[in-house]
Amino acid sequence: QVQLVESGGGSVQPGGSLRLSCAASGYTYSIYSIYYMAWFRQAPGKEREGVATIYTIGGSTYYADSVKGRFTISQDNAKNTLYLQMNSLKPEDTGIYYCAGSSRHTVVVGRAADFGYWGQGTQVTVSS
């Protein structure tokens, strides 16, 4: 059973930075059973949206236009951990951030239905 546990959320002022982590267990990257990992977020009253996606084998990354140049997704296969470095945070980045994994060989970037494994979420609040 794959388990994903996020950490690193919190409150920060606009322009600040946070780094989210997602610890994965129940499988190993080395057997490539999870082909895509991603970060999604959900603000109150809004639909869940894809923020960043990484192809775990080749390392290709994809970002929502709203976070390009500010957020960086990365992985540490030795630690089975996914990261999201968030810089120049804005109030509109506020929401619950979820880590997700997909065992599909192809996904539509940003489509939550393509991801079968989810963490419990961590709150990020950007406010002055």
Side-chain angles (χ1 to χ4, degrees):
Q1 180 71 20
V2 175
Q3 293 186 327
L4 304 175
V5 179
E6 303 97 335
S7 61
S11 296
V12 64
Q13 292 186 338
S17 298
L18 284 174
R19 188 176 82 155
L20 305 183
S21 298
C22 172
S25 62
Y27 73 100
T28 61
Y29 280 113
S30 63
I31 61 174
Y32 305 133
S33 59
I34 299 294
Y35 295 100
Y36 292 90
M37 293 291 293
W39 290 96
F40 287 77
R41 68 185 179 190
Q42 189 165 19
K46 294 187 176 180
E47 293 186 355
R48 191 170 299 189
E49 65 169 338
V51 173
T53 301
I54 187 167
Y55 181 48
T56 62
I57 299 175
S60 299
T61 57
Y62 312 89
Y63 296 93
D65 288 341
S66 58
V67 306
K68 280 181 182 177
R70 300 188 298 120
F71 290 11
T72 302
I73 188 172
S74 62
Q75 60 183 1
D76 185 332
N77 290 349
K79 296 182 179 180
N80 284 349
T81 301
L82 180 75
Y83 301 100
L84 184 68
Q85 177 66 44
M86 305 186 293
N87 299 326
S88 302
L89 283 161
K90 304 176 181 180
E92 52 263 42
D93 294 319
T94 295
I96 300 175
Y97 282 69
Y98 298 90
C99 170
S102 177
S103 57
R104 296 189 178 199
H105 289 266
T106 59
V107 301
V108 173
V109 172
R111 186 163 71 183
D114 285 354
F115 290 79
Y117 306 107
W118 292 86
Q120 82 288 349
T122 185
Q123 177 70 45
V124 171
T125 302
V126 185
S127 174
S128 56

